[in-house]
Amino acid sequence: MQFGIFTVGDVTTDPTTGRTPSEHERITAMVTIARKAEEVGLDVFATGEHHNRPFVPSSPTTMLGYIAARTERLQLSTATTLITTNDPVKIAEDFAMLQHLAEGRVDLMLGRGNTGPVYPWFGKDIRDGIPLAIENYHLLHRLWREDVVDWEGKFRTPLQSFTSTPRPLDDVPPFVWHGSIRSPEIAEQAAYYGDGFFANNIFWPKEHFQRLIALYRQRYEHYGHGSADQAIVGLGGQVFMRKNSQDAVREFRPYFDNAPVYGHGPSLEEFTEQTPLTVGSPQEVIDKTLTFRESFGDYQRQLFLMDHAGLPLKTVLEQLDLLGEEVVPVLRKEFAALRPAHVPDAPTHASLVAAREAAVEATR
């Protein structure tokens, strides 16, 4: 099972000091956080994509390429790549280039984002959100698997004898996760292609996401990719830890209360009860995370949000030390002991290459 962190890249005033980092400080801090994630033994670093303040990660492949040059093992991903407003040709070429530079340590999570105005900024209509996601991914999927593509759709100009360059590393495209918090159409899309489904269940009660994941698993089996419990599922989470749970709650409360996403809403206690947010000791994080399997079944990737709401870099790095030293080793052991042998690990470039070679050998 893969464990990692994802960032939304918000530039938020620290409510305890009144200080707001510059965009440059926030960007360099994200790189520092990624390198720290590898240092403490995490598997994945993922960045969101935003084109509006107070967020800075407007060019994920640029950031991930820079991080790739400064890491050796870390799997690099996006927490959202906007399949609706990015040209699928540009996605195909950007991520294939990144895949080569990172020696295959790349995958991506496609989504529609949570910012409505992004659609007209890139010449799209938000009312076409689902059709854009479906059509654009159909083209992206072909661009990575066919050397020459002839294509015509509704939302972009036709392609005639087009070859996306560079071709994917080893002719194996990056693995794709489809992220959604509310749309059964996206769960269906992920299942149809045999891709991963990432339920970023950090804001809503688990019952909503149980239905989405159950649909994805059922349809994954329907399309012949494996049994329902072999479907590739990822989950989000949020944590803030101190050795003593009372200290964690006291320190995190002002950040929670003023967070740009959920501040001035439900209380910290209400939010921790209803969502995956855990504020407490490392053992409390372990205990709550282990319950995710009970709710959603065996899954392959767990990402935590840790660097948001104005938390200073020093505090985030302390959090990563606790996550890597005290939490993830226990979670690895416990999840591995519970997982049946037929449930696969999260795909990597190496495993996808091996699977392709095995399939070719089987036809000989």
Side-chain angles (χ1 to χ4, degrees), residues 203-207 266 269-276 288:
F203 296 127
W204 292 1
K206 67 182 179 182
E207 291 77 13
E269 287 73 18
E270 291 170 329
F271 207 81
T272 53
E273 181 181 353
Q274 297 178 22
T275 77
K288 187 164 184 176

Side-chain angles (χ1 to χ4, degrees), residues 135-150:
E135 180 178 296
N136 283 354
Y137 183 59
H138 177 63
L139 175 55
L140 175 61
H141 192 269
R142 288 187 60 191
L143 288 168
W144 274 337
R145 290 163 175 82
E146 301 175 29
D147 286 341
V148 180
V149 173
D150 293 302

Side-chain angles (χ1 to χ4, degrees), residues 42-267:
L42 301 185
D43 305 304
V44 183
F45 173 84
T47 176
E49 177 186 347
H50 294 276
H51 299 275
N52 58 294
R53 290 182 172 179
F55 305 98
V56 293
S58 58
S59 182
T61 53
T62 302
M63 170 164 282
L64 294 178
Y66 186 86
I67 293 170
R70 285 154 178 77
T71 56
E72 297 179 357
R73 302 175 305 280
L74 198 64
Q75 184 78 6
L76 305 172
S77 184
T78 53
T80 305
T81 294
L82 298 176
I83 188 61
T84 46
T85 52
N86 284 307
D87 183 359
V89 172
K90 196 68 168 72
I91 295 176
E93 296 189 335
D94 282 353
F95 279 89
M97 177 67 77
L98 176 60
Q99 191 188 35
H100 282 273
L101 292 172
E103 299 292 343
R105 295 184 288 125
V106 173
D107 55 51
L108 67 160
M109 187 191 307
L110 300 179
R112 291 177 292 137
N114 60 3
T115 307
V118 74
Y119 285 84
W121 294 341
F122 289 89
K124 306 299 181 183
D125 189 328
I126 193 172
R127 293 169 294 185
D128 295 325
I130 293 291
L132 275 164
I134 293 170
E135 180 178 296
N136 283 354
Y137 183 59
H138 177 63
L139 175 55
L140 175 61
H141 192 269
R142 288 187 60 191
L143 288 168
W144 274 337
R145 290 163 175 82
E146 301 175 29
D147 286 341
V148 180
V149 173
D150 293 302
W151 181 89
E152 185 172 353
K154 178 180 178 182
F155 297 109
R156 76 174 315 280
T157 53
L159 296 174
Q160 296 179 345
S161 301
F162 179 78
T163 299
S164 172
T165 59
R167 304 305 297 148
L169 178 65
D170 300 318
D171 289 323
V172 173
F175 185 73
V176 170
W177 302 80
H178 299 258
S180 178
I181 62 171
R182 60 183 173 271
S183 302
E185 297 91 340
I186 302 305
E188 175 77 17
Q189 182 182 42
Y192 177 81
Y193 289 100
D195 296 335
F197 182 67
F198 192 92
N200 196 10
N201 58 324
I202 61 174
F203 296 127
W204 292 1
K206 67 182 179 182
E207 291 77 13
H208 172 78
F209 294 96
Q210 285 175 318
R211 291 191 291 270
L212 273 179
I213 291 172
L215 171 64
Y216 162 66
R217 290 188 184 279
Q218 292 163 7
R219 301 301 287 172
Y220 184 94
E221 182 172 305
H222 168 80
Y223 288 117
H225 301 299
S227 61
D229 61 350
Q230 292 177 312
I232 309 299
V233 173
L235 297 175
Q238 294 171 280
V239 298
F240 186 86
M241 295 173 284
R242 288 303 183 198
K243 296 288 188 179
N244 181 289
S245 60
Q246 289 80 12
D247 292 338
V249 170
R250 182 171 56 254
E251 184 175 348
F252 187 66
R253 189 180 297 280
Y255 294 98
F256 176 89
D257 289 346
N258 293 279
V261 177
Y262 46 55
H264 312 288
S267 69

